[in-house]
Amino acid sequence: MRTTVQRTRERNISLRFGLARNSLAGWVGILACAVLFGGLVSGALAEKRSATHAAVEAITNEDLRGHVAYLADDALEGRLAGAAGAQKAAEYLAQQLAKRSLQPAGVEGGYFQPFGKGYRNVLAVLPGSDPKLRREVIVLGAHYDHIGRGEEGKSRGGVGQIHNGADDNASGVAGLLELAKVFTLLPERPKRTVLFAFWDAEEIGAVGSKHWASQPTLPDHRVVFMLGLDMIGRLREETLTVFGTRTSYGLRRLLSEQNQWVGLRLDFNWKLAPNSDHYSFIERKIPALLFHTGLHEDYHRPTDDVDRIHFEGMAAVVRLAFWTSWTLANQEATAGFRDESAQETPETLQAMFQRRPILPLRLGVVWSEQEFLGPGVRLVEVVPDLPAARAGLRPGDHLLRLNGQELHSGPDLLRHVMTAPQAVDLVVLRPGEERLLQFRIELSGQPMRLGLLWRTDEAEPGTALVTYVVPGSPADQAGVRPGDYIYQLEDQPWPADETELKKHLQTAPKTIRLLVEREGRLRNTPIRLEALSPAPLDKAPTGDKIYSPPRPAPTTSNNPPAKESQPSYSLAG
């Protein structure tokens, strides 16, 4: 029987690409349209990826369970750093690495790097295959220590009892062992060197990773990236939290594109804090990611046991970790560290959406936002000196149709006005008039063909971050939402600025396609752009009265018209 995550993965692939998961031709077809960090997938990389899928299938729930069950057994007494249980765990890890024929990367030709009060990092290396890139290192890390019997100040309940730490962090260690297995099964080693690092003494301040960062056991190599796994065993609602995507360029896009093989929902958290081993590298200006499935009621309690681990979800996280690290290890070039990431927080992101944008007053009306049972949209104000006022619209008018389309709400009106061409026809019901009135109005400004506002994101070059979507607009009807990232327009990179975008839309077909990402999931989004053209005035519906406003009396410099101050609007067209 297929698992939930497997079904999700198959559904995502088939829906997005219309291909069968178990068809080799299907995989190649997917690869042809996949996009990677820095550009389209090359043919050679596509072939290499296809050959790699068999190795990825070696990640199994059973193997993950076996590793977690050993590490989180009472016999290891909570793996307190420096204690007998942690020593036994370290020996187990070294045996597993030797079983995979991975080269030791500790001191004196062994797998261990001793430090402190009997602590030991466990290290193994897979040398890169490229003569130029093999001196660059991708570090994959997870801490294997826990809090023993729950010392005072560490335990959240049950001091003196064994805290097995199945999720924290036997889950991450098991995931890293599976990554090591997959990398050794590849038909070809990656271009860059990969270090598998099992850190000790993380629970007392990430001491093991800090020690290695200050005294690396690969002194003639340069670390270009780090990916950490910490508490990946409690996946809920298919959501994986990813920290560190702002520490380099294009990481959100890279993860989203690799996630198409997995189908998780990614929570890109902008918070950077010294709460796991990834931070030991960020402090040294090395880009780093942390995968984490979230805290829970068993965190640092004796109840964090193997029977509560979600192995199916764990396997999905490990697959994403593999595709991400494999891609980084094979890129021709890696991006550097972003210093700005240290000042960016979740609040920074929220501030981008707090201010409601000021939309151009193309028509110049204000309508009631309260529920209105009458026909159309009832105006409560008409802004002086704007198209609606110049055409003769008045407060109290009910706008029934615009360019032949029924109006049912304020957002409905807004959508048509913001995306309409320069001239529109309005059919109006005016209290006291026996017949409907029809107005032809020349709108101000230019139409918004998409109906969205966006901004560039320096951390994600060549993309657009959507900050506002006009209700009812083509973008809104296509399902685009604030917070979405747009990666491509008609198979081309997103335009660099508003001018370039407008130029493209002027000659675009009636339907365009956007590659949109939300929560790490990509979808090709078709958007219909055709605007509603006004009907000729001589074809007004029977019984309608065609209205022409009286010409205003000319004014002289001795008697200028009184100017009203512009009111404050909740919604304006």
Side-chain angles (χ1 to χ4, degrees):
M1 179 179 294
R2 291 175 301 159
T3 63
T4 302
V5 174
Q6 286 173 330
R7 288 195 298 270
T8 300
R9 185 168 46 145
E10 293 172 6
R11 183 182 68 248
N12 289 342
I13 292 171
S14 63
L15 286 178
R16 292 182 178 99
F17 302 103
L19 300 168
R21 175 180 175 274
N22 59 0
S23 163
L24 179 59
W27 285 124
V28 174
I30 294 172
L31 294 167
C33 58
V35 182
L36 289 182
F37 179 41
L40 293 175
V41 179
S42 67
L45 188 57
E47 291 178 12
K48 189 183 296 184
R49 184 186 285 272
S50 295
T52 301
H53 275 281
V56 177
E57 293 303 316
I59 299 170
T60 67
N61 297 353
E62 292 73 20
D63 285 351
L64 289 168
R65 182 185 295 274
H67 294 314
V68 175
Y70 178 85
L71 294 166
D73 191 273
D74 284 353
L76 272 64
E77 298 184 295
R79 307 185 309 280
L80 182 68
Q87 296 289 323
K88 191 178 294 186
E91 295 292 341
Y92 174 81
L93 297 174
Q95 291 169 10
Q96 295 297 315
L97 297 171
K99 180 180 175 182
R100 297 295 168 192
S101 300
L102 283 163
Q103 295 182 17
V107 299
E108 299 178 356
Y111 288 106
F112 303 122
Q113 182 192 33
F115 64 96
K117 301 177 180 179
Y119 310 142
R120 295 189 294 181
N121 290 329
V122 186
L123 307 162
V125 66
L126 180 67
S129 61
D130 186 274
K132 294 182 179 179
L133 298 177
R134 65 187 305 167
R135 292 190 181 278
E136 296 183 359
V137 180
I138 306 294
V139 176
L140 305 181
H143 75 90
Y144 69 90
D145 66 306
H146 194 49
I147 61 173
R149 291 182 176 270
E151 298 176 351
E152 197 73 48
K154 290 288 186 181
S155 175
R156 298 176 69 209
V159 173
Q161 301 177 47
I162 294 175
H163 290 55
N164 283 319
D167 188 30
D168 187 15
N169 182 36
S171 66
V173 173
L176 186 52
L177 286 172
E178 289 294 278
L179 285 178
K181 177 176 68 176
V182 173
F183 271 96
T184 61
L185 295 175
L186 293 176
E188 181 182 342
R189 285 183 288 122
K191 294 179 179 180
R192 290 181 177 80
T193 293
V194 180
L195 177 72
F196 302 95
F198 299 85
W199 313 115
D200 199 359
E202 188 272 349
E203 295 287 2
I204 56 175
V207 179
S209 55
K210 289 178 180 178
H211 178 78
W212 190 90
S214 63
Q215 300 183 42
T217 55
L218 301 174
D220 58 340
H221 290 63
R222 180 173 69 93
V223 176
V224 295
F225 205 89
M226 190 272 181
L227 190 156
L229 306 176
D230 197 347
M231 298 178 63
I232 61 168
R234 296 291 189 93
L235 190 73
R236 286 152 287 185
E237 298 180 353
E238 299 182 347
T239 301
L240 172 68
T241 300
V242 183
F243 297 94
T245 55
R246 311 291 294 177
T247 61
S248 189
Y249 301 87
L251 290 179
R252 177 175 181 137
R253 182 168 185 170
L254 182 151
L255 284 159
S256 299
E257 286 158 354
Q258 305 318 310
N259 187 44
Q260 301 317 295
W261 308 101
V262 184
L264 294 174
R265 178 181 292 110
L266 303 183
D267 174 12
F268 299 101
N269 195 307
W270 286 26
K271 181 179 180 180
L272 287 183
N275 53 7
S276 191
D277 294 296
H278 70 303
Y279 201 80
S280 301
F281 294 83
I282 291 174
E283 285 181 319
R284 293 176 175 270
K285 297 187 182 299
I286 296 170
L289 295 173
L290 175 66
F291 284 7
H292 180 61
T293 55
L295 297 177
H296 44 77
E297 61 182 10
D298 300 312
Y299 172 68
H300 279 203
R301 296 179 187 271
T303 50
D304 183 7
D305 282 321
V306 64
D307 61 334
R308 303 196 178 189
I309 297 297
H310 182 356
F311 289 103
E312 181 182 300
M314 222 175 117
V317 174
V318 177
R319 282 194 293 270
L320 179 59
F322 170 77
W323 287 119
T324 302
S325 56
W326 181 84
T327 302
L328 288 164
N330 283 295
Q331 288 179 146
E332 291 302 324
T334 57
F337 185 80
R338 283 188 69 249
D339 292 321
E340 296 84 356
S341 61
Q343 285 75 48
E344 293 171 338
T345 65
E347 290 70 32
T348 307
L349 175 62
Q350 290 302 317
M352 295 180 178
F353 304 96
Q354 284 178 354
R355 294 188 62 185
R356 191 171 193 168
I358 300 176
L359 299 176
L361 296 176
R362 300 199 71 203
L363 181 58
V365 297
V366 182
W367 58 84
S368 172
E369 292 191 47
Q370 297 177 352
E371 185 175 357
F372 173 58
L373 299 180
V377 178
R378 180 167 59 89
L379 303 185
V380 295
E381 281 190 73
V382 177
V383 183
D385 301 322
L386 287 178
R390 290 195 292 267
L393 291 183
R394 304 174 187 172
D397 284 349
H398 298 182
L399 309 187
L400 304 182
R401 291 191 295 276
L402 187 148
N403 289 349
Q405 301 296 310
E406 299 286 341
L407 299 175
H408 303 287
S409 64
D412 210 16
L413 172 63
L414 180 63
R415 166 172 66 97
H416 289 311
V417 168
M418 297 309 297
T419 60
Q422 213 68 32
V424 296
D425 284 348
L426 275 170
V427 176
V428 176
L429 171 64
R430 175 168 292 168
E433 290 281 349
E434 295 182 358
R435 289 184 292 171
L436 298 179
L437 308 180
Q438 183 166 328
F439 295 80
R440 169 154 290 181
I441 301 178
E442 294 288 330
L443 300 176
S444 299
Q446 297 298 315
M448 296 177 67
R449 296 201 69 191
L450 281 176
L452 59 81
L453 299 181
W454 58 279
R455 59 177 296 162
T456 58
D457 182 353
E458 189 253 355
E460 296 294 330
T463 70
L465 170 59
V466 179
T467 57
Y468 181 78
V469 179
V470 177
S473 66
D476 183 35
Q477 293 184 66
V480 180
R481 297 292 178 263
D484 288 351
Y485 275 78
I486 304 176
Y487 293 155
Q488 287 184 341
L489 169 61
E490 290 291 327
D491 297 325
Q492 298 296 320
W494 183 258
D497 54 40
E498 188 72 29
T499 302
E500 188 179 335
L501 175 62
K502 286 181 178 178
K503 187 184 300 182
H504 182 95
L505 293 178
Q506 284 174 356
T507 59
K510 290 184 177 181
T511 300
I512 63 170
R513 289 179 298 109
L514 303 180
L515 182 61
V516 178
E517 176 262 305
R518 180 184 304 158
E519 296 180 324
R521 292 170 168 173
L522 298 177
R523 64 188 179 97
N524 282 303
T525 304
I527 298 183
R528 295 176 61 86
L529 294 180
E530 60 261 40
L532 297 170
S533 300
L537 283 178
D538 59 359
K539 293 184 180 179
T542 304
D544 287 4
K545 175 181 177 182
I546 298 173
Y547 182 82
S548 297
R551 293 180 176 273
T555 59
T556 65
S557 57
N558 294 328
N559 186 26
K563 290 192 176 182
E564 302 178 29
S565 60
Q566 184 167 323
S568 175
Y569 308 108
S570 55
L571 282 173

